[in-house]
C-alpha cells in the first residue's frame, strides 16, 4: 500500500490487497490524530448497521441468522468497520463477532440503549449507578473481542442550541468509560462521541470534548454525523468539507464521520469517497461510516432485506459505493497524520454553549464497579432513566444522583420522553419524526427525520 502509484491499475491492485487483508485480529490503536493497525495507518471504511430500523430494539450482533446473511455482503462491499447502535449486553455475541473478525471487519459500538442512556433534558438525573453498571457491563462483553475498535459514549445527545448542558454528562461518561477500561479491560479501547453537526456550536462541541487538564475526560476520538455532501455536483468545497478540514486541523485525536451519505439526489453516486480518502482530508479525517446498510423507511439503505428476512438484494447505492471503494485507494504513506497536538482550551459559556467545565464526580454508588467490575450483564429490561415531575429542574452537576438510581423512566413511548433520550436509536428514527435536525447541508437543505 505504501509504494503504489495512483494509476487506476495500481488502485485496483491496492484494493485487492485490502480485501484479501488479514482477519481483524490486530487491535486498532490511536497515535496522534490517526488510527493504526500495527504500523500501518487505518482508515475507517465502514457502514452503519441497524437492520429493522432505529425503532427496532433487536440486537444485530446476537442474531446469527441476520449476521451470517449480511457479513459476506459487507465483505463484498469492501468495508473494514461496522457501527452498531444498540445491543443487548446479556446476549451472546461470539459468533457474529467471529464472523466479522474473519471478514476483516472491526466494530464501533454505541453503549447506550433507549432505556439506558443520557437524557438530554435531565442529564444529571440519568447519570446514575444503574446506568453506569449497564454500560460498563457492555464494555466487559465487547472488550474481550480484539476487533472492537472503539466505543461511542453517546450519540447526538446535544442536538440543538438549548441542550448543550447535557454535553457535561457526555464528557463525564466518556471519562468514566476510559477509567473503567483502564481498570478492568486488558487493552486500551478508544472511547469517543458521535456528534450532531449543529452549525451554531459545532466548534464548541468539538473543543469541549478535547479540552482541559484532565486527560481522562478527553475523548480518544471524535466523530461527526455529516450529511453535507449531496450528489455528484457537490465537491470538497461545495460540501464545506474543506472548511471542516481547516477548522479541525489541529484537533489532537482522530476524527471521522460517524454517519455520512446524503440521499438527495437518489440513487447516490458516493463521489465523496474519493475526497474522503484523499490527502485533501486524511491529514485530519480518518474515513467514515456510510449511513446505512439496510434499507429502512428513511431510504438510506444499500441493501433491501426480503420480507421473510432470508435474503438481501443489493441496491444501486450498494453497487455505486462498492465501485467507489474499489477505485479509491488510501493515500500512500501515512496520509499526513499529525502527532504532538495539544488539548484545546475549554470554550467559554455563551448563548449557544452552556456545558460546564467542572464535571460531576462518579456517583458514589458506582465506584465499586471501578474496583471490582460491573458484574452480571443484565440486558435491556427495565432501565436507568428517571423523568422527574414536570416543572422540575435537572439536578445540579454536583447533585446526588443516587436517588435517581433504580427508578426507570415513567413515561417512555410518548414523543416527548422518547425525544429526550440521548440515544443513537433516534437517529433517523421514529422518535425523531417532526424533529428538524440542523445540519450543515448544502443549498440550505434541512433534513427532517
Ligand atoms: C429545547 O427546545 C425544545 C423546543 O424547541 C424543547 O422541546 C426542549 O424541551 C428544550 N430543551 C431544553 C433542555 O430546554
Ligand atoms: C468553522 O469554524 C467557524 C469558527 O468557529 C464556525 O463558525 C464554522 O461553523 C465552522 N465551519 C464548519 C464547516 O465547520
Ligand atoms: C434474526 O434475524 C432474522 C432475519 O432477519 C429475523 O427473521 C429474526 O426475527 C431475527 N431474530 C430476532 C430474535 O430478532
Ligand atoms: C474491483 O475492480 C476489479 C477491476 O474492475 C474487479 O476485477 C473486481 O472484481 C472488483 N472488486 C469488487 C469487490 O468490486
Ligand atoms: C423501557 O422503559 C419503559 C418505561 O419504564 C418500560 O415500559 C419498558 O418495558 C422498558 N423497555 C424494556 C426493553 O425493558
Amino acid at each position: 500500500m505504501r509504494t503504489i502509484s495512483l494509476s487506476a491499475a495500481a488502485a485496483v491492485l491496492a484494493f485487492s490487497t485490502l480485501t484479501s487483508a488479514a482477519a481483524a485480529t490486530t487491535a486498532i490503536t490511536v497515535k496522534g490524530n490517526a488510527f493504526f493497525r500495527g504500523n500501518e495507518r487505518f482508515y475507517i471504511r465502514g457502514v452503519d448497521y441497524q437492520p429493522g430500523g432505529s425503532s427496532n430494539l433487536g440486537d444485530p450482533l446476537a442474531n446469527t441468522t441476520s449476521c451470517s446473511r449480511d457479513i459476506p455482503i459487507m465483505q463484498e462491499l469492501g468495508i473494514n468497520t461496522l457501527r452498531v447502535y444498540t445491543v443487548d449486553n446479556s446476549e451472546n455475541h461470539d459468533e457474529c463477532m467471529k464472523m466479522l473478525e474473519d471478514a476483516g471487519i472491526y466494530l464501533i459500538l454505541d453503549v447506550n440503549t433507549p432505556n439506558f442512556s443520557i437524557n438530554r433534558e435531565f442529564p444529571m438525573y440519568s447519570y446514575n449507578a444503574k446506568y453506569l453498571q449497564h454500560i460498563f457491563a457492555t464494555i466487559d462483553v465487547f472488550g474481550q473481542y480484539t476487533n472492537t475498535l472503539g466505543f461511542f459514549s453517546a450519540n447526538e445527545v446535544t442536538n440543538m442550541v438549548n441542550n448543550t448542558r447535557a454535553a457535561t454528562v457526555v464528557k463525564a461518561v466518556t471519562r468514566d468509560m476510559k477509567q473503567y477500561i483502564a481498570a478492568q479491560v486488558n487493552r486500551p479501547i478508544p472511547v469517543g462521541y458521535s456528534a450532531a453537526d449543529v452549525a451554531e456550536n459545532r466548534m464548541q462541541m468539538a473543543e469541549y470534548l478535547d479540552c482541559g487538564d484532565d486527560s481522562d475526560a478527553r475523548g480518544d476520538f471524535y466523530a461527526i454525523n455529516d450529511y453535507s455532501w449531496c450528489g455528484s455536483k457537490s465537491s470538497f468545497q461545495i460540501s464545506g468539507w474543506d472548511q471542516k478540514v481547516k477548522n479541525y486541523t489541529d484537533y489532537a485525536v482522530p476524527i471521522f464521520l460517524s454517519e455520512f451519505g446524503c440521499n438527495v439526489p437518489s440513487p447516490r453516486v458516493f463521489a465523496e469517497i474519493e475526497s474522503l480518502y484523499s490527502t485533501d482530508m486524511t491529514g485530519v479525517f480518518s474515513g467514515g461510516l456510510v449511513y446505512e446498510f439496510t434499507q429502512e423507511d428513511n431510504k438510506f439503505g444499500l441493501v433491501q432485506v426480503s420480507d421473510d428476512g432470508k435474503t438481501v438484494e443489493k441496491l444501486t447505492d450498494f453497487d455505486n459505493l462498492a465501485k467507489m471503494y474499489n477505485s479509491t485507494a488510501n493515500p500512500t504513506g501515512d496520509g499526513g497524520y499529525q502527532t504532538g497536538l495539544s488539548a484545546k482550551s475549554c470554550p467559554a459559556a455563551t448563548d449557544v454553549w452552556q456545558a460546564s467545565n467542572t464535571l460531576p464526580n462518579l456517583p458514589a454508588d458506582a465506584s465499586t464497579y471501578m474496583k471490582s467490575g460491573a458484574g452480571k450483564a443484565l440486558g435491556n429490561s427495565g432501565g436507568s432513566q428517571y423523568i422527574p415531575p414536570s416543572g422540575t429542574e435537572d439536578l445540579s452537576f454536583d447533585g446526588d444522583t443516587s436517588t435517581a438510581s433504580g427508578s426507570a423512566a415513567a413515561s417512555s413511548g410518548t414523543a416527548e420522553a422518547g425525544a429526550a433520550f440521548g440515544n443513537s436509536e433516534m437517529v433517523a428514527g421514529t422518535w425523531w419524526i417532526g424533529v428538524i435536525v440542523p445540519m450543515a447541508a448544502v443549498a440550505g437543505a434541512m433534513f427532517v427525520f
Side-chain angles (χ1 to χ4, degrees):
M1 292 298 290
R2 283 161 192 276
T3 51
I4 54 153
S5 81
L6 284 176
S7 73
V12 168
L13 196 69
F15 180 79
S16 329
T17 314
L18 190 81
T19 43
S20 62
T25 47
T26 302
I28 302 299
T29 54
V30 170
K31 193 159 52 157
N33 71 345
F35 295 110
F36 279 79
R37 176 166 53 194
N39 291 324
E40 202 169 341
R41 180 137 181 221
F42 182 83
Y43 300 92
I44 293 171
R45 290 185 178 228
V47 295
D48 297 313
Y49 187 48
Q50 49 183 355
S54 54
S55 54
N56 173 13
L57 301 185
D59 177 341
L61 298 177
N63 187 331
T64 52
T65 308
S66 53
C67 77
S68 54
R69 178 195 67 202
D70 292 344
I71 292 169
I73 314 281
M74 293 171 181
Q75 192 171 15
E76 200 182 315
L77 178 60
I79 63 166
N80 62 18
T81 309
L82 196 66
R83 175 186 189 176
V84 169
Y85 289 90
T86 190
V87 290
D88 178 336
N89 64 15
S90 67
E91 295 273 357
N92 188 309
H93 302 91
D94 291 350
E95 275 191 64
C96 291
M97 287 303 289
K98 178 74 170 108
M99 277 185 247
L100 286 173
E101 180 185 279
D102 291 346
I105 298 173
Y106 291 85
L107 171 71
I108 307 183
L109 179 66
D110 290 78
V111 294
N112 294 286
T113 70
N115 282 11
F116 294 89
S117 54
I118 303 166
N119 182 313
R120 62 168 68 90
E121 301 288 325
F122 299 101
M124 274 302 282
Y125 273 111
S126 60
Y127 182 54
N128 56 56
K130 200 164 184 187
Y131 168 67
L132 292 166
Q133 192 280 334
H134 184 91
I135 63 173
F136 292 166
T138 301
I139 290 173
D140 286 344
V141 172
F142 284 89
Q144 53 174 313
Y145 304 116
T146 308
N147 59 328
T148 298
L149 188 163
F151 294 111
F152 286 120
S153 54
N155 176 75
E156 299 199 354
V157 172
T158 289
N159 63 350
M160 295 186 196
V161 292
N162 73 346
N163 54 27
T164 59
R165 186 176 177 277
T168 314
V169 173
V170 169
K171 188 162 176 166
V173 169
T174 303
R175 172 201 63 194
D176 299 345
M177 289 173 65
K178 287 179 63 170
Q179 290 177 347
Y180 185 81
I181 290 166
Q184 297 291 338
V185 183
N186 63 8
R187 72 174 171 99
I189 302 176
V191 179
Y193 176 63
S194 176
D197 192 26
V198 179
E200 292 86 345
N201 55 26
R202 57 161 74 98
M203 295 317 296
Q204 284 97 324
M205 177 58 81
E207 284 160 13
Y208 179 69
L209 293 181
D210 193 35
C211 80
D213 297 330
D214 179 0
S215 62
D216 283 351
R218 293 170 56 201
D220 296 313
F221 60 80
Y222 186 69
I224 310 161
N225 296 338
D226 182 302
Y227 292 86
S228 51
W229 185 310
C230 299
S232 60
K233 296 205 176 72
S234 192
S235 69
F236 184 52
Q237 285 79 21
I238 293 170
S239 64
W241 283 7
D242 61 336
Q243 293 305 309
K244 289 194 162 114
V245 167
K246 206 165 134 229
N247 276 2
Y248 297 116
T249 283
D250 53 358
Y251 203 75
V253 297
I255 302 188
F256 60 94
L257 303 178
S258 35
E259 290 176 5
F260 74 97
C262 170
N263 65 352
V264 181
S266 171
R268 297 180 283 182
V269 293
F270 292 110
E272 65 266 47
I273 293 295
E274 217 163 28
S275 186
L276 188 56
Y277 301 98
S278 78
T279 50
D280 279 352
M281 304 280 295
T282 56
V284 177
F285 282 84
S286 292
L289 299 151
V290 170
Y291 191 86
E292 67 180 325
F293 189 68
T294 55
Q295 182 78 304
E296 308 297 343
D297 292 346
N298 53 13
K299 302 286 181 224
F300 280 86
L302 303 172
V303 303
Q304 175 72 55
V305 179
S306 63
D307 288 341
D308 64 6
K310 292 210 167 93
T311 56
V312 296
E313 177 203 347
K314 294 174 226 160
L315 302 174
T316 307
D317 283 19
F318 180 100
D319 296 334
N320 291 348
L321 180 59
K323 227 175 278 165
M324 287 309 297
Y325 280 146
N326 194 335
S327 61
T328 307
N330 293 331
T332 54
D334 64 22
Y337 87 108
Q338 304 168 77
T339 54
L341 299 166
S342 2
K344 298 286 173 200
S345 42
C346 292
T350 65
D351 291 356
V352 295
W353 191 254
Q354 296 292 322
S356 166
N357 292 330
T358 307
L359 299 184
N361 292 322
L362 182 77
D365 41 357
S367 59
T368 176
Y369 307 138
M370 290 289 177
K371 286 185 224 101
S372 323
K376 193 172 174 355
L378 299 171
N380 287 333
S381 60
S384 60
Q385 297 263 359
Y386 172 74
I387 310 284
S390 79
T392 314
E393 295 270 309
D394 192 30
L395 296 167
S396 70
F397 290 125
D398 55 5
D400 175 10
T401 60
S402 59
T403 51
S405 166
S407 319
S411 58
S412 173
T414 70
E416 255 170 353
F421 294 156
N423 186 276
S424 42
E425 291 292 297
M426 28 188 209
V427 173
T430 49
W431 285 345
W432 273 41
I433 287 169
V435 176
I436 294 174
V437 187
M439 290 190 260
V442 282
M446 294 293 274
F447 294 82
V448 181
F449 290 97

